[in-house]
Amino acid sequence: KTSTKKSEAMERKESSLAAKEETLRKRSSEVEELFAKEQEELEKISGLTSEQAKEYLLGAVAKWTRMGIDGWRLDVATEVDSHFWREFRETVRGINPDALIIGEFWRNSEAWLQGDQYDGVMNYGVQRAAVEYFCQERSGSFQRFQEILTENLMRYSDAANDSMLNLLDSHDTARFLTVSGGNTARLKNAAAFLFTFVGMPCTYYGTEIGMTG
């Protein structure tokens, strides 16, 4: 009887493993098909003129905005000409006047926040200041923190400040808890600042569980 039970248990385990392997094979096949389709799309774009590529991209933007996307976060936004971003905004707002447009910027982004391109940006200026103040406790850091916040608020319009995406860390930075040496009290203090400062608080995935790295 014991031998029979062991045999049945082994059969169930093998059956379960076989099912998992089959699921993985299907998923792998789906990923390969998706990758092949994306490659085809990229090949189409690479063969286009700049004007054709622009029309293609704006067409895609229009399609997804009509399908219900109500916000765009634009990666490495400085690498694209401002003329394109103005047309991007016209396209998006022409479909959804309330759609939010956020750019990824690491420096002064005043020229892009005049109401004709982005609503706001990822607020790395304030992020760096928050890490320095709440994590590192440098001499005179409170005064420096206050000066940086004031400088940022004075640089941009009220509308832009209200639309800033404020964060403590991201996939492009060291995690807050890593910099603070695992001090969760400092993270809580920084989070209190994040959720009360002007703009939109962003808990970047992982921060809410104390991710390090």
Side-chain angles (χ1 to χ4, degrees):
K1 291 182 179 179
T2 302
S3 177
T4 301
K5 288 181 179 179
K6 287 183 178 180
S7 178
E8 290 175 350
M10 286 295 295
E11 287 178 3
R12 286 196 297 270
K13 186 175 181 180
E14 289 174 358
S15 177
S16 175
L17 288 173
K20 288 180 180 179
E21 288 176 358
E22 180 61 24
T23 299
L24 287 173
R25 277 195 293 270
K26 287 181 179 179
R27 288 179 180 174
S28 177
S29 178
E30 290 170 358
V31 170
E32 289 176 1
E33 289 178 9
L34 179 61
F35 180 75
K37 289 179 181 178
E38 290 179 346
Q39 285 293 102
E40 289 177 7
E41 293 299 314
L42 288 173
E43 288 171 6
K44 289 180 184 177
I45 296 174
S46 65
L48 301 178
T49 65
S50 59
E51 187 64 26
Q52 289 173 323
K54 182 186 72 175
E55 291 177 2
Y56 177 89
L57 293 170
L58 292 178
V61 168
K63 170 189 173 180
W64 288 106
T65 304
R66 289 193 188 97
M67 290 181 70
I69 284 181
D70 57 7
W72 293 84
R73 182 265 189 191
L74 308 169
D75 197 50
V76 200
T78 53
E79 300 300 315
V80 179
D81 188 85
S82 289
H83 295 295
F84 177 83
W85 291 133
R86 291 188 181 98
E87 292 192 49
F88 178 97
R89 185 181 184 86
E90 289 176 4
T91 300
V92 170
R93 288 298 178 85
I95 299 168
N96 181 359
D98 296 323
L100 182 68
I101 303 173
I102 299 293
E104 182 201 22
F105 273 78
W106 290 74
R107 55 183 174 81
N108 185 342
S109 49
E110 188 175 4
W112 289 266
L113 294 173
Q114 299 301 310
D116 60 344
Q117 295 180 67
Y118 316 128
D119 297 307
V121 297
M122 296 180 75
N123 205 351
Y124 278 111
V126 170
Q127 182 267 338
R128 288 191 292 269
V131 169
E132 181 179 300
Y133 176 64
F134 289 103
C135 280
Q136 299 168 342
E137 294 183 348
R138 295 179 181 176
S139 176
S141 60
F142 175 74
Q143 182 177 349
R144 174 173 168 76
F145 185 47
Q146 188 178 43
E147 289 173 352
I148 293 174
L149 296 185
T150 301
E151 180 184 341
N152 273 269
L153 290 173
M154 294 296 291
R155 176 181 295 142
Y156 305 115
S157 67
D158 289 344
N161 283 322
D162 287 340
S163 300
M164 288 293 187
L165 191 67
N166 299 324
L167 64 164
L168 297 176
D169 52 20
S170 75
H171 64 293
D172 287 321
T173 70
R175 289 290 179 167
F176 188 97
L177 272 184
T178 297
V179 182
S180 70
N183 191 318
T184 56
R186 292 183 181 181
L187 176 58
K188 291 177 181 178
N189 287 337
F193 161 75
L194 178 72
F195 280 87
T196 54
F197 189 61
V198 179
M200 302 179 295
C202 172
T203 303
Y204 208 89
Y205 63 85
T207 303
E208 76 282 359
I209 61 170
M211 182 179 286
T212 57

